[in-house]
Amino acid sequence: MFNDTLPAILLQSPPMNYDLPHRRFNPLTGEWVLVSPHRAKRPWLGQVEKTASDDTPPYDPTCYLCPGNTRVGGSIVNPAYSGTYVFDNDFPALLTPEAMAQAEGHATAAVGSAELFQSEPVSGTSRVVCFSPRHDLSLPQLSGPEVEAVLRTWGEQTRELGALPDVRYVQVFENKGASMGASNPHPHSQLWATSNVPHTVAIERDNQRQYLAGHERPLLIDYVEQERRLQERLVCTNDHFTILVPFWAVWPFEMMVIAHRPVSYLFDLTAAEFTALADVMRRALSKYDNLFEIPFPYSFGWHQAPFDDAAHPEWVLHGHWYPPLLRSATVRKFLVGYEMLAQPQRDLTAETAAARLRDLPDVHFSQRG
Ligand code: H2U
Ligand code: ZN
């Protein structure tokens, strides 16, 4: 049952006409988004994206992620893996503390005052997680147990990397589709574990802490309960997780997955929660692909609590999908101009985007009879 007491701030918010330009607040980041619903019909003469080819083979002899193939660089051969497959990134963005200590001949740039030219070393580990030996299947095309295996692998990797003495945060993320910078269609994700808590995560932590201190309830627990009651922005839900288009979404079909209890890490989920999470994700990601009947590109990532030696009663495990496509498989949104200089802006409302996703079948178009 949901808590019937709305936080004071929401009780006080006046009814709004969402057909007129307005701005919406993101309580996780403290940022605002400008919403201009009347603009959704403007003509488009700009860039047209290429669609992914639909003749991707189950195995590609030239793919550096397929089982049995040689990785870039030529010295490592992938094993004949049958489930998920994890390896250290051959081109890591971060050096381990040991490699940092061993590095010789370091150059020092000329700097000014300590206040205006701040810097600090960052060490860490980068890994790649392949979802499946199949080169051609994205997450929603895998079976429930296969998606669960991916979730459990992300959880185990988070636990392992988070236990390293110099790690303060583990970011799990997936770039899907060439337009989001994915280097290869083979379904895969990355983990970067760093010696610092990255900026966005630190801001989300501080805002969740502040909300808990003021309301004695975690921010995202209050938020997800109210969204489940309002029902306007829901995409898929079950007993343990909700996927919705957040009220403050910036990207046209942006979604969040939110746990129904304040759990900090994927590895803290129960068996029933892993199964439930695989279920909502398969359904929501099938809707994504069904929207334009293409593998829907996005950047996705988990926000788990930092490993910063503090307890995290404020934290609610959640993930963000940031997909660029707007009106078709070939027309994307760019965050440029006013959005780079002033604030993000969207035309399509979050409610319209959620209704479109909600109304789509939750069975992947490739698997329909
Ligand atoms: P992206 O598609 O999100 O770029 O992820 C692929 C990662 O795989 C990328 O970080 C790594 C790249 O460094 N990689 C290897 O570690 N070994 C390879 O043989 C090729 C790619
Ligand atoms: Zn492959």
Side-chain angles (χ1 to χ4, degrees), residues 20-79:
L20 295 174
H22 60 279
R23 61 178 193 151
R24 297 187 185 191
F25 182 65
N26 179 339
L28 276 176
T29 61
E31 291 167 347
W32 293 83
V33 55
L34 176 65
V35 186
S36 318
H38 61 291
R39 246 174 127 236
K41 293 188 188 71
R42 83 200 147 105
W44 178 260
L45 297 171
Q47 177 172 314
V48 169
E49 299 295 305
K50 288 197 184 73
T51 49
S53 70
D54 50 11
D55 53 4
T56 312
Y59 166 77
D60 178 348
T62 67
C63 167
Y64 53 75
L65 299 177
C66 274
N69 289 2
T70 305
R71 295 225 292 276
V72 176
S75 55
I76 302 172
V77 177
N78 297 323

Short mmCIF file of all heavy atoms in Angstrom, two decimals, residues 20-79:
data_model
loop_
_atom_site.label_atom_id
_atom_site.label_comp_id
_atom_site.label_asym_id
_atom_site.label_seq_id
_atom_site.Cartn_x
_atom_site.Cartn_y
_atom_site.Cartn_z
N LEU A 20 1.22 24.69 -21.94
CA LEU A 20 1.95 25.94 -22.13
C LEU A 20 3.39 25.75 -21.71
O LEU A 20 3.70 24.86 -20.91
CB LEU A 20 1.30 27.05 -21.28
CG LEU A 20 -0.12 27.43 -21.69
CD1 LEU A 20 -0.71 28.43 -20.70
CD2 LEU A 20 -0.13 28.00 -23.10
N PRO A 21 4.31 26.60 -22.22
CA PRO A 21 5.72 26.46 -21.80
C PRO A 21 5.87 26.56 -20.29
O PRO A 21 5.23 27.40 -19.65
CB PRO A 21 6.41 27.63 -22.50
CG PRO A 21 5.54 27.95 -23.66
CD PRO A 21 4.13 27.64 -23.23
N HIS A 22 6.66 25.68 -19.74
CA HIS A 22 6.90 25.69 -18.29
C HIS A 22 8.24 25.03 -18.05
O HIS A 22 8.82 24.43 -18.96
CB HIS A 22 5.78 24.95 -17.56
CG HIS A 22 5.63 23.51 -17.95
ND1 HIS A 22 4.95 23.12 -19.09
CD2 HIS A 22 6.08 22.36 -17.38
CE1 HIS A 22 4.98 21.80 -19.19
NE2 HIS A 22 5.66 21.31 -18.16
N ARG A 23 8.76 25.10 -16.82
CA ARG A 23 9.98 24.35 -16.52
C ARG A 23 9.71 23.39 -15.39
O ARG A 23 8.83 23.62 -14.55
CB ARG A 23 11.16 25.28 -16.24
CG ARG A 23 11.00 26.19 -15.06
CD ARG A 23 12.26 27.02 -14.86
NE ARG A 23 12.21 27.67 -13.54
CZ ARG A 23 13.28 27.99 -12.82
NH1 ARG A 23 14.49 27.74 -13.27
NH2 ARG A 23 13.13 28.56 -11.64
N ARG A 24 10.43 22.28 -15.39
CA ARG A 24 10.24 21.23 -14.38
C ARG A 24 11.56 20.98 -13.66
O ARG A 24 12.62 21.00 -14.28
CB ARG A 24 9.78 19.93 -15.04
CG ARG A 24 8.45 20.07 -15.73
CD ARG A 24 7.97 18.73 -16.23
NE ARG A 24 6.74 18.88 -16.99
CZ ARG A 24 5.96 17.87 -17.37
NH1 ARG A 24 6.31 16.62 -17.06
NH2 ARG A 24 4.86 18.08 -18.05
N PHE A 25 11.45 20.64 -12.39
CA PHE A 25 12.61 20.50 -11.51
C PHE A 25 12.99 19.03 -11.35
O PHE A 25 12.11 18.18 -11.15
CB PHE A 25 12.27 21.10 -10.15
CG PHE A 25 13.40 21.05 -9.15
CD1 PHE A 25 14.56 21.78 -9.36
CD2 PHE A 25 13.30 20.27 -8.00
CE1 PHE A 25 15.61 21.76 -8.44
CE2 PHE A 25 14.34 20.23 -7.07
CZ PHE A 25 15.49 20.97 -7.30
N ASN A 26 14.28 18.75 -11.45
CA ASN A 26 14.79 17.40 -11.20
C ASN A 26 15.35 17.36 -9.78
O ASN A 26 16.42 17.93 -9.52
CB ASN A 26 15.88 17.08 -12.23
CG ASN A 26 16.49 15.70 -12.02
OD1 ASN A 26 16.42 15.13 -10.94
ND2 ASN A 26 17.11 15.18 -13.07
N PRO A 27 14.65 16.74 -8.82
CA PRO A 27 15.10 16.78 -7.43
C PRO A 27 16.34 15.95 -7.16
O PRO A 27 16.99 16.13 -6.13
CB PRO A 27 13.89 16.22 -6.66
CG PRO A 27 13.21 15.33 -7.64
CD PRO A 27 13.43 15.95 -8.99
N LEU A 28 16.71 15.07 -8.11
CA LEU A 28 17.94 14.28 -7.94
C LEU A 28 19.17 15.11 -8.24
O LEU A 28 20.20 14.98 -7.59
CB LEU A 28 17.93 13.08 -8.88
CG LEU A 28 17.19 11.82 -8.43
CD1 LEU A 28 17.23 10.80 -9.56
CD2 LEU A 28 17.82 11.23 -7.16
N THR A 29 19.06 15.97 -9.27
CA THR A 29 20.24 16.72 -9.70
C THR A 29 20.14 18.21 -9.36
O THR A 29 21.13 18.93 -9.46
CB THR A 29 20.42 16.63 -11.23
OG1 THR A 29 19.26 17.21 -11.84
CG2 THR A 29 20.59 15.20 -11.69
N GLY A 30 18.95 18.67 -9.01
CA GLY A 30 18.77 20.11 -8.74
C GLY A 30 18.70 20.94 -10.01
O GLY A 30 18.77 22.16 -9.96
N GLU A 31 18.54 20.28 -11.19
CA GLU A 31 18.49 21.02 -12.46
C GLU A 31 17.05 21.15 -12.95
O GLU A 31 16.18 20.38 -12.56
CB GLU A 31 19.35 20.30 -13.51
CG GLU A 31 20.82 20.39 -13.19
CD GLU A 31 21.68 19.45 -14.01
OE1 GLU A 31 21.13 18.54 -14.67
OE2 GLU A 31 22.89 19.60 -13.98
N TRP A 32 16.85 22.11 -13.84
CA TRP A 32 15.52 22.35 -14.41
C TRP A 32 15.54 22.00 -15.89
O TRP A 32 16.57 22.09 -16.54
CB TRP A 32 15.15 23.82 -14.26
CG TRP A 32 14.91 24.29 -12.86
CD1 TRP A 32 15.88 24.68 -11.97
CD2 TRP A 32 13.66 24.42 -12.19
NE1 TRP A 32 15.29 25.05 -10.78
CE2 TRP A 32 13.92 24.91 -10.89
CE3 TRP A 32 12.34 24.19 -12.55
CZ2 TRP A 32 12.92 25.16 -9.95
CZ3 TRP A 32 11.33 24.45 -11.63
CH2 TRP A 32 11.63 24.92 -10.34
N VAL A 33 14.37 21.65 -16.43
CA VAL A 33 14.23 21.43 -17.87
C VAL A 33 13.07 22.29 -18.36
O VAL A 33 12.02 22.35 -17.72
CB VAL A 33 14.02 19.93 -18.21
CG1 VAL A 33 12.85 19.33 -17.45
CG2 VAL A 33 13.82 19.72 -19.72
N LEU A 34 13.30 22.98 -19.48
CA LEU A 34 12.25 23.80 -20.10
C LEU A 34 11.39 22.91 -20.98
O LEU A 34 11.92 22.16 -21.81
CB LEU A 34 12.91 24.91 -20.93
CG LEU A 34 11.99 25.83 -21.75
CD1 LEU A 34 11.09 26.67 -20.83
CD2 LEU A 34 12.84 26.74 -22.63
N VAL A 35 10.07 22.95 -20.82
CA VAL A 35 9.16 22.12 -21.62
C VAL A 35 8.32 23.04 -22.51
O VAL A 35 7.67 23.96 -22.01
CB VAL A 35 8.24 21.25 -20.72
CG1 VAL A 35 7.41 20.28 -21.55
CG2 VAL A 35 9.08 20.47 -19.69
N SER A 36 8.37 22.79 -23.83
CA SER A 36 7.67 23.65 -24.82
C SER A 36 6.75 22.78 -25.67
O SER A 36 7.06 22.51 -26.83
CB SER A 36 8.69 24.35 -25.72
OG SER A 36 9.80 24.81 -24.98
N PRO A 37 5.63 22.32 -25.11
CA PRO A 37 4.80 21.33 -25.81
C PRO A 37 4.27 21.80 -27.16
O PRO A 37 4.10 21.01 -28.08
CB PRO A 37 3.63 21.09 -24.85
CG PRO A 37 4.06 21.65 -23.55
CD PRO A 37 5.05 22.74 -23.85
N HIS A 38 4.03 23.13 -27.29
CA HIS A 38 3.46 23.65 -28.54
C HIS A 38 4.43 23.52 -29.71
O HIS A 38 4.06 23.66 -30.86
CB HIS A 38 3.12 25.14 -28.36
CG HIS A 38 4.33 25.97 -28.03
ND1 HIS A 38 4.99 25.86 -26.82
CD2 HIS A 38 5.02 26.87 -28.77
CE1 HIS A 38 6.04 26.69 -26.83
NE2 HIS A 38 6.06 27.30 -27.98
N ARG A 39 5.71 23.21 -29.43
CA ARG A 39 6.72 23.17 -30.48
C ARG A 39 6.86 21.79 -31.14
O ARG A 39 7.62 21.62 -32.08
CB ARG A 39 8.06 23.52 -29.86
CG ARG A 39 8.61 24.81 -30.37
CD ARG A 39 9.85 25.14 -29.57
NE ARG A 39 10.95 25.40 -30.46
CZ ARG A 39 12.11 24.76 -30.43
NH1 ARG A 39 12.31 23.80 -29.58
NH2 ARG A 39 13.07 25.08 -31.27
N ALA A 40 6.13 20.80 -30.58
CA ALA A 40 6.35 19.43 -31.01
C ALA A 40 6.07 19.21 -32.50
O ALA A 40 6.51 18.24 -33.08
CB ALA A 40 5.51 18.47 -30.17
N LYS A 41 5.33 20.15 -33.11
CA LYS A 41 4.95 19.93 -34.51
C LYS A 41 5.85 20.65 -35.50
O LYS A 41 5.57 20.67 -36.69
CB LYS A 41 3.50 20.39 -34.73
CG LYS A 41 2.49 19.53 -33.99
CD LYS A 41 1.07 19.89 -34.38
CE LYS A 41 0.05 19.20 -33.52
NZ LYS A 41 0.00 19.71 -32.15
N ARG A 42 6.98 21.23 -35.03
CA ARG A 42 7.77 22.02 -35.98
C ARG A 42 8.42 21.11 -37.03
O ARG A 42 8.70 19.96 -36.78
CB ARG A 42 8.81 22.87 -35.24
CG ARG A 42 10.08 22.21 -34.85
CD ARG A 42 10.76 22.97 -33.74
NE ARG A 42 11.45 22.03 -32.89
CZ ARG A 42 12.77 21.87 -32.90
NH1 ARG A 42 13.51 22.58 -33.70
NH2 ARG A 42 13.33 20.99 -32.12
N PRO A 43 8.65 21.67 -38.25
CA PRO A 43 9.20 20.84 -39.33
C PRO A 43 10.67 20.50 -39.09
O PRO A 43 11.35 21.22 -38.35
CB PRO A 43 9.06 21.73 -40.57
CG PRO A 43 9.02 23.13 -40.04
CD PRO A 43 8.42 23.06 -38.67
N TRP A 44 11.15 19.44 -39.68
CA TRP A 44 12.53 19.00 -39.49
C TRP A 44 13.22 18.86 -40.84
O TRP A 44 12.80 18.10 -41.69
CB TRP A 44 12.56 17.65 -38.76
CG TRP A 44 13.96 17.16 -38.59
CD1 TRP A 44 14.60 16.22 -39.34
CD2 TRP A 44 14.91 17.61 -37.62
NE1 TRP A 44 15.88 16.06 -38.89
CE2 TRP A 44 16.11 16.90 -37.84
CE3 TRP A 44 14.87 18.55 -36.58
CZ2 TRP A 44 17.25 17.09 -37.07
CZ3 TRP A 44 16.01 18.74 -35.82
CH2 TRP A 44 17.17 18.01 -36.06
N LEU A 45 14.28 19.67 -41.06
CA LEU A 45 15.06 19.54 -42.29
C LEU A 45 16.51 19.21 -41.96
O LEU A 45 17.40 19.39 -42.77
CB LEU A 45 15.00 20.85 -43.10
CG LEU A 45 13.61 21.24 -43.59
CD1 LEU A 45 13.61 22.65 -44.17
CD2 LEU A 45 13.10 20.25 -44.62
N GLY A 46 16.75 18.75 -40.73
CA GLY A 46 18.12 18.55 -40.26
C GLY A 46 18.65 17.16 -40.53
O GLY A 46 18.18 16.45 -41.41
N GLN A 47 19.64 16.79 -39.74
CA GLN A 47 20.35 15.52 -39.94
C GLN A 47 19.42 14.32 -39.78
O GLN A 47 18.56 14.29 -38.92
CB GLN A 47 21.47 15.40 -38.90
CG GLN A 47 22.21 14.08 -38.98
CD GLN A 47 23.43 14.09 -38.09
OE1 GLN A 47 24.21 15.03 -38.08
NE2 GLN A 47 23.61 13.01 -37.33
N VAL A 48 19.63 13.35 -40.62
CA VAL A 48 18.88 12.10 -40.57
C VAL A 48 19.85 10.98 -40.19
O VAL A 48 20.90 10.84 -40.80
CB VAL A 48 18.21 11.84 -41.95
CG1 VAL A 48 17.66 10.43 -42.02
CG2 VAL A 48 17.11 12.86 -42.18
N GLU A 49 19.53 10.24 -39.15
CA GLU A 49 20.41 9.17 -38.67
C GLU A 49 20.30 7.94 -39.57
O GLU A 49 19.25 7.68 -40.14
CB GLU A 49 20.02 8.74 -37.25
CG GLU A 49 20.12 9.83 -36.22
CD GLU A 49 21.54 10.31 -35.99
OE1 GLU A 49 22.41 9.47 -35.67
OE2 GLU A 49 21.78 11.52 -36.13
N LYS A 50 21.38 7.19 -39.63
CA LYS A 50 21.32 5.89 -40.33
C LYS A 50 20.64 4.89 -39.41
O LYS A 50 20.82 4.93 -38.20
CB LYS A 50 22.74 5.38 -40.61
CG LYS A 50 23.48 6.15 -41.68
CD LYS A 50 24.66 5.29 -42.15
CE LYS A 50 25.51 6.03 -43.16
NZ LYS A 50 26.30 7.09 -42.52
N THR A 51 19.86 3.98 -39.96
CA THR A 51 19.29 2.92 -39.12
C THR A 51 20.25 1.73 -39.13
O THR A 51 20.98 1.50 -40.09
CB THR A 51 17.92 2.45 -39.64
OG1 THR A 51 18.04 2.19 -41.03
CG2 THR A 51 16.85 3.50 -39.43
N ALA A 52 20.23 0.99 -38.00
CA ALA A 52 21.10 -0.18 -37.90
C ALA A 52 20.63 -1.23 -38.90
O ALA A 52 19.44 -1.37 -39.15
CB ALA A 52 21.04 -0.73 -36.48
N SER A 53 21.57 -1.97 -39.49
CA SER A 53 21.17 -2.99 -40.45
C SER A 53 20.50 -4.13 -39.69
O SER A 53 20.81 -4.39 -38.53
CB SER A 53 22.39 -3.51 -41.22
OG SER A 53 23.19 -4.27 -40.35
N ASP A 54 19.51 -4.78 -40.33
CA ASP A 54 18.81 -5.84 -39.63
C ASP A 54 19.32 -7.21 -40.05
O ASP A 54 18.66 -8.22 -39.85
CB ASP A 54 17.30 -5.72 -39.82
CG ASP A 54 16.92 -5.56 -41.27
OD1 ASP A 54 17.80 -5.74 -42.13
OD2 ASP A 54 15.75 -5.24 -41.55
N ASP A 55 20.51 -7.26 -40.66
CA ASP A 55 21.06 -8.56 -41.07
C ASP A 55 22.27 -8.93 -40.22
O ASP A 55 23.21 -9.54 -40.69
CB ASP A 55 21.40 -8.57 -42.57
CG ASP A 55 22.30 -7.40 -42.94
OD1 ASP A 55 22.71 -6.63 -42.04
OD2 ASP A 55 22.61 -7.25 -44.15
N THR A 56 22.26 -8.50 -38.94
CA THR A 56 23.37 -8.83 -38.05
C THR A 56 23.42 -10.34 -37.83
O THR A 56 22.40 -10.94 -37.48
CB THR A 56 23.17 -8.12 -36.69
OG1 THR A 56 22.84 -6.75 -36.94
CG2 THR A 56 24.44 -8.18 -35.84
N PRO A 57 24.58 -10.98 -38.06
CA PRO A 57 24.66 -12.44 -37.90
C PRO A 57 24.79 -12.84 -36.43
O PRO A 57 25.26 -12.04 -35.62
CB PRO A 57 25.92 -12.80 -38.67
CG PRO A 57 26.79 -11.58 -38.56
CD PRO A 57 25.85 -10.40 -38.49
N PRO A 58 24.39 -14.07 -36.06
CA PRO A 58 24.53 -14.54 -34.67
C PRO A 58 25.99 -14.61 -34.23
O PRO A 58 26.30 -14.46 -33.05
CB PRO A 58 23.92 -15.94 -34.68
CG PRO A 58 23.27 -16.11 -35.99
CD PRO A 58 23.75 -15.06 -36.93
N TYR A 59 26.88 -14.84 -35.20
CA TYR A 59 28.32 -14.86 -34.93
C TYR A 59 29.00 -14.07 -36.04
O TYR A 59 28.67 -14.24 -37.21
CB TYR A 59 28.84 -16.31 -34.90
CG TYR A 59 30.35 -16.40 -34.96
CD1 TYR A 59 31.12 -16.13 -33.82
CD2 TYR A 59 31.02 -16.71 -36.16
CE1 TYR A 59 32.52 -16.17 -33.88
CE2 TYR A 59 32.41 -16.76 -36.21
CZ TYR A 59 33.15 -16.49 -35.08
OH TYR A 59 34.52 -16.53 -35.13
N ASP A 60 29.94 -13.18 -35.64
CA ASP A 60 30.65 -12.39 -36.64
C ASP A 60 32.14 -12.66 -36.48
O ASP A 60 32.73 -12.30 -35.44
CB ASP A 60 30.33 -10.90 -36.42
CG ASP A 60 31.08 -9.99 -37.39
OD1 ASP A 60 32.01 -10.48 -38.08
OD2 ASP A 60 30.75 -8.79 -37.44
N PRO A 61 32.76 -13.28 -37.49
CA PRO A 61 34.18 -13.63 -37.35
C PRO A 61 35.09 -12.41 -37.16
O PRO A 61 36.21 -12.55 -36.67
CB PRO A 61 34.51 -14.36 -38.67
CG PRO A 61 33.37 -14.08 -39.59
CD PRO A 61 32.17 -13.73 -38.75
N THR A 62 34.60 -11.19 -37.50
CA THR A 62 35.45 -10.01 -37.35
C THR A 62 35.17 -9.26 -36.03
O THR A 62 35.77 -8.22 -35.77
CB THR A 62 35.22 -9.02 -38.51
OG1 THR A 62 33.88 -8.49 -38.40
CG2 THR A 62 35.39 -9.69 -39.86
N CYS A 63 34.25 -9.80 -35.19
CA CYS A 63 33.88 -9.10 -33.95
C CYS A 63 34.86 -9.42 -32.83
O CYS A 63 35.14 -10.59 -32.56
CB CYS A 63 32.46 -9.52 -33.54
SG CYS A 63 32.03 -9.02 -31.87
N TYR A 64 35.36 -8.39 -32.15
CA TYR A 64 36.33 -8.64 -31.07
C TYR A 64 35.67 -9.07 -29.77
O TYR A 64 36.35 -9.30 -28.78
CB TYR A 64 37.22 -7.41 -30.86
CG TYR A 64 36.47 -6.13 -30.64
CD1 TYR A 64 35.84 -5.86 -29.43
CD2 TYR A 64 36.39 -5.17 -31.65
CE1 TYR A 64 35.14 -4.69 -29.23
CE2 TYR A 64 35.68 -3.99 -31.46
CZ TYR A 64 35.06 -3.76 -30.25
OH TYR A 64 34.36 -2.61 -30.05
N LEU A 65 34.33 -9.18 -29.75
CA LEU A 65 33.65 -9.64 -28.54
C LEU A 65 33.06 -11.05 -28.68
O LEU A 65 32.71 -11.67 -27.67
CB LEU A 65 32.52 -8.66 -28.14
CG LEU A 65 32.95 -7.23 -27.81
CD1 LEU A 65 31.73 -6.35 -27.52
CD2 LEU A 65 33.91 -7.19 -26.62
N CYS A 66 32.92 -11.54 -29.89
CA CYS A 66 32.33 -12.87 -30.09
C CYS A 66 33.24 -13.95 -29.48
O CYS A 66 34.46 -13.80 -29.43
CB CYS A 66 32.12 -13.16 -31.58
SG CYS A 66 30.55 -12.54 -32.23
N PRO A 67 32.64 -15.07 -29.00
CA PRO A 67 33.44 -16.15 -28.40
C PRO A 67 34.47 -16.69 -29.40
O PRO A 67 34.19 -16.81 -30.58
CB PRO A 67 32.40 -17.24 -28.09
CG PRO A 67 31.07 -16.59 -28.19
CD PRO A 67 31.21 -15.39 -29.07
N GLY A 68 35.67 -16.99 -28.88
CA GLY A 68 36.71 -17.60 -29.71
C GLY A 68 37.46 -16.63 -30.60
O GLY A 68 38.42 -17.02 -31.25
N ASN A 69 37.03 -15.35 -30.65
CA ASN A 69 37.70 -14.39 -31.54
C ASN A 69 38.84 -13.66 -30.81
O ASN A 69 38.87 -13.60 -29.59
CB ASN A 69 36.70 -13.35 -32.05
CG ASN A 69 35.72 -13.94 -33.05
OD1 ASN A 69 35.77 -15.14 -33.34
ND2 ASN A 69 34.83 -13.12 -33.57
N THR A 70 39.73 -13.09 -31.61
CA THR A 70 40.87 -12.36 -31.06
C THR A 70 40.48 -10.90 -30.85
O THR A 70 39.84 -10.28 -31.70
CB THR A 70 42.05 -12.42 -32.06
OG1 THR A 70 42.29 -13.80 -32.33
CG2 THR A 70 43.31 -11.81 -31.48
N ARG A 71 40.88 -10.35 -29.71
CA ARG A 71 40.57 -8.95 -29.43
C ARG A 71 41.53 -8.03 -30.18
O ARG A 71 42.57 -8.47 -30.69
CB ARG A 71 40.63 -8.71 -27.92
CG ARG A 71 39.54 -9.50 -27.21
CD ARG A 71 38.82 -8.70 -26.17
NE ARG A 71 39.68 -8.38 -25.04
CZ ARG A 71 39.89 -9.21 -24.02
NH1 ARG A 71 39.30 -10.39 -23.98
NH2 ARG A 71 40.69 -8.85 -23.04
N VAL A 72 41.18 -6.74 -30.21
CA VAL A 72 42.03 -5.75 -30.87
C VAL A 72 43.40 -5.79 -30.18
O VAL A 72 43.47 -5.88 -28.96
CB VAL A 72 41.41 -4.34 -30.74
CG1 VAL A 72 42.33 -3.28 -31.34
CG2 VAL A 72 40.04 -4.28 -31.41
N GLY A 73 44.46 -5.73 -30.95
CA GLY A 73 45.79 -5.83 -30.35
C GLY A 73 46.40 -7.18 -30.65
O GLY A 73 47.61 -7.32 -30.73
N GLY A 74 45.53 -8.19 -30.83
CA GLY A 74 46.00 -9.47 -31.38
C GLY A 74 46.51 -10.50 -30.39
O GLY A 74 46.76 -11.64 -30.77
N SER A 75 46.67 -10.15 -29.10
CA SER A 75 47.28 -11.14 -28.21
C SER A 75 46.26 -11.91 -27.37
O SER A 75 46.58 -12.98 -26.86
CB SER A 75 48.31 -10.48 -27.31
OG SER A 75 47.71 -9.42 -26.61
N ILE A 76 45.04 -11.40 -27.21
CA ILE A 76 44.08 -12.09 -26.34
C ILE A 76 42.96 -12.70 -27.18
O ILE A 76 42.38 -12.04 -28.05
CB ILE A 76 43.48 -11.11 -25.30
CG1 ILE A 76 44.62 -10.51 -24.47
CG2 ILE A 76 42.47 -11.81 -24.39
CD1 ILE A 76 44.20 -9.39 -23.55
N VAL A 77 42.68 -13.98 -26.88
CA VAL A 77 41.58 -14.67 -27.56
C VAL A 77 40.46 -14.88 -26.55
O VAL A 77 40.69 -15.37 -25.44
CB VAL A 77 42.07 -16.04 -28.12
CG1 VAL A 77 40.91 -16.79 -28.76
CG2 VAL A 77 43.20 -15.83 -29.12
N ASN A 78 39.25 -14.47 -26.91
CA ASN A 78 38.10 -14.69 -26.01
C ASN A 78 37.85 -16.19 -25.86
O ASN A 78 37.94 -16.92 -26.84
CB ASN A 78 36.83 -14.04 -26.58
CG ASN A 78 36.96 -12.54 -26.70
OD1 ASN A 78 37.56 -11.90 -25.85
ND2 ASN A 78 36.39 -11.98 -27.75
N PRO A 79 37.48 -16.64 -24.67
CA PRO A 79 37.12 -18.05 -24.51
C PRO A 79 35.80 -18.35 -25.24
O PRO A 79 35.10 -17.42 -25.65
CB PRO A 79 36.94 -18.20 -23.00
CG PRO A 79 36.63 -16.84 -22.51
CD PRO A 79 37.33 -15.88 -23.43
#
